[in-house]
Amino acid sequence: MNIEKLKNNISSTVLIHVIIWGLFMSMALIPFYENSTDINADFFVQWVTGIALFYLNYYYLVPNLLLHKKAGLYITIVVVILLILMTIRFLYFMPEVRNPMVTRLMNTAANNQLQRGPHQGKPPLFFKIIPTLFYIFIIAASTVIRTLTEYHNNEQNKLIMESNRTASELNYLRKQTNPHFLFNALNSIYSLAYKKSDLVPDAIVTLSEMMRYMLYETDNQTVFLEKEINYIKNYLELQKLRLNNIENIYINIHGETREKYIEPLLLISFVENAFKYGTDYKGAAYVKIKISIENDNLDFWIENKIQDYTKDPDNSGIGMNNIENRLDLLYPNSHQLTILETDGTYTAHLKLKLDQLKKTNT
């Protein structure tokens, strides 16, 4: 937040407080005008000290004592302040005419007493404690407001911290995705170069298109689904260049992909995993992909044959763990992932609600 914006916020807050106190004092002045009574010094003392007490309690006593579990010290200080304020008012201001509403009640009570006996002119004790009740109300109001404000701020801070934590995790997972893909792609090109294949230039061009997408598109929170699917198609073409048997590699897409958004590089881990475990030592692969889009629902299905493969316990499963973590973070209540492994076939089925995210820059 820049200094100018901070100054504007402070000015707005001060103006709001002035207006609120002005309204309260205006309502308190109504009885003076209704009864044509002069405004006495006690009225101003009451409001000035009341407002000062409000902010003392709001900005210092509650946050530094009450909210720090020092209730005993807080109550002691409040009682002492009340005693000091009331002593000052009774000694210096209370003999003057009071608030006209209170005065009217006091006169009525005094008249009643005059009819009864010798205690004329002495107001009942109740009217003497009204200023104390005013201060107690001020303390109670400022305490409740500050407590609720602190609770609200704490909840907001928790949300911000959770949001920052989620963003950090997503950045970490994205950074894992890029080198993971690059490692696999370079392996594919290396295989072609090792065979002295004439397809190496085509592979490099395909890889450059994919890298351009990764560099310039995936910094966004979401990307167009159409571009994400084109990225998967390029990856398939890159794999086909290095394999000997590509008859069982295909992708079917049904539905409208335009104006749909998805988290970038979300599906590629499924595809990488399928080629990693679905390619045999002869260079033959069995990978089938189906993508169906209906309204804002994505249905992604991928199947591969499980070939004889010795897993590296330190490196295997990075892609799938990555994708599951990202799904939990980005689509916690709007995805369903089913993974089946039967009779040498591995199947992953993902249902996703696309309208949970919009294309925005991170």
Side-chain angles (χ1 to χ4, degrees):
M1 180 181 294
N2 56 45
I3 296 177
E4 192 64 31
K5 188 175 182 181
L6 180 60
K7 289 181 179 178
N8 291 336
N9 288 340
I10 294 175
S11 299
S12 299
T13 302
V14 171
L15 180 60
I16 291 172
H17 282 235
V18 169
I19 292 174
I20 291 174
W21 284 117
L23 289 174
F24 280 128
M25 292 185 68
S26 297
M27 289 187 290
L29 285 170
I30 292 175
F32 287 100
Y33 293 103
E34 289 180 346
N35 295 275
S36 300
T37 307
D38 293 334
I39 302 174
N40 54 78
D42 183 59
F43 175 87
F44 294 105
V45 172
Q46 173 180 298
W47 279 97
V48 171
T49 54
I51 294 172
L53 181 60
F54 179 95
Y55 288 109
L56 174 65
N57 190 55
Y58 184 89
Y59 284 110
Y60 182 78
L61 297 181
V62 173
N64 292 289
L65 298 178
L66 187 60
L67 296 182
H68 281 76
K69 299 181 180 179
K70 299 178 181 178
L73 180 58
Y74 171 79
I75 294 173
T76 301
I77 292 176
V78 168
V79 171
V80 170
I81 291 174
L82 286 176
L83 290 174
I84 292 173
L85 290 175
M86 293 311 302
T87 299
I88 294 173
R89 291 192 63 192
F90 274 112
L91 288 177
Y92 295 99
F93 297 100
M94 290 302 287
E96 295 185 23
V97 180
R98 295 162 180 80
N99 185 291
M101 291 185 66
V102 176
T103 302
R104 189 190 310 164
L105 293 173
M106 290 174 61
N107 290 336
T108 302
N111 291 331
N112 291 336
Q113 289 184 1
L114 182 61
Q115 296 175 0
R116 294 176 186 175
H119 299 288
Q120 61 179 357
K122 291 185 178 180
L125 180 63
F126 169 75
F127 298 109
K128 292 185 178 181
I129 67 172
I130 287 181
T132 305
L133 297 178
F134 171 78
Y135 289 130
I136 292 175
F137 172 79
I138 288 289
I139 291 173
S142 57
T143 300
V144 171
I145 293 173
R146 184 58 192 243
T147 303
L148 293 177
T149 300
E150 287 294 322
Y151 175 79
H152 175 75
N153 290 339
N154 289 337
E155 291 299 312
Q156 290 297 313
N157 289 335
K158 287 180 182 179
L159 291 176
I160 292 172
M161 291 176 63
E162 181 64 23
S163 177
N164 290 337
R165 184 186 68 82
T166 301
S168 298
E169 290 183 10
L170 288 173
N171 284 333
Y172 171 74
L173 293 173
R174 283 186 180 182
K175 289 177 181 178
Q176 275 191 320
T177 299
N178 291 355
H180 193 233
F181 152 76
L182 187 60
F183 176 78
N184 290 339
L186 290 176
N187 270 345
S188 300
I189 295 177
Y190 171 78
S191 297
L192 293 175
Y194 183 79
K195 299 174 184 177
K196 296 181 170 48
S197 172
D198 294 335
L199 299 176
V200 171
D202 294 335
I204 294 176
V205 170
T206 302
L207 178 60
S208 67
E209 292 180 359
M210 298 175 71
M211 292 298 295
R212 186 179 297 108
Y213 171 76
M214 292 172 61
L215 289 173
Y216 298 109
E217 296 287 344
T218 59
D219 280 342
N220 293 331
Q221 182 181 349
T222 59
V223 295
F224 285 111
L225 177 62
E226 189 173 17
K227 291 185 177 181
E228 185 73 6
I229 291 177
N230 287 336
Y231 176 80
I232 294 175
K233 289 179 179 178
N234 283 332
Y235 183 85
L236 293 180
E237 293 302 316
L238 189 61
Q239 293 296 329
K240 288 178 181 180
L241 291 176
R242 74 176 183 89
L243 297 173
N244 296 323
N245 188 340
I246 59 174
E247 293 180 358
N248 292 313
I249 299 175
Y250 71 84
I251 179 171
N252 283 340
I253 302 169
H254 302 281
E256 182 58 62
T257 62
R258 291 177 300 179
E259 301 302 323
K260 308 293 183 183
Y261 302 104
I262 191 171
E263 165 73 14
L265 305 175
L266 186 68
L267 305 176
I268 190 63
S269 294
F270 290 109
V271 183
E272 289 179 345
N273 189 71
F275 277 98
K276 182 176 181 180
Y277 297 106
T279 304
D280 63 18
Y281 67 94
K282 295 181 181 179
Y286 181 96
V287 177
K288 296 182 178 180
I289 303 172
K290 295 178 183 177
I291 300 176
S292 177
I293 304 98
E294 184 176 354
N295 296 325
D296 291 320
N297 298 304
L298 171 71
D299 197 317
F300 176 84
W301 178 91
I302 185 168
E303 178 183 280
N304 66 273
K305 295 293 185 182
I306 303 175
Q307 307 297 340
D308 294 334
Y309 186 84
T310 302
K311 291 187 178 181
D312 180 357
D314 295 328
N315 297 310
S316 63
I318 294 177
M320 292 308 299
N321 289 336
N322 187 323
I323 192 69
E324 290 176 2
N325 290 335
R326 292 173 71 192
L327 284 169
D328 289 338
L329 288 171
L330 290 164
Y331 302 93
N333 300 312
S334 54
H335 82 275
Q336 180 180 350
L337 176 61
T338 305
I339 296 177
L340 297 176
E341 186 174 339
T342 56
D343 299 329
T345 300
Y346 183 94
T347 304
H349 186 198
L350 174 65
K351 293 182 177 180
L352 197 67
K353 189 75 172 177
L354 294 173
D355 63 350
Q356 296 298 309
L357 294 170
K358 295 181 180 180
K359 189 178 181 183
T360 55
N361 293 329
T362 54

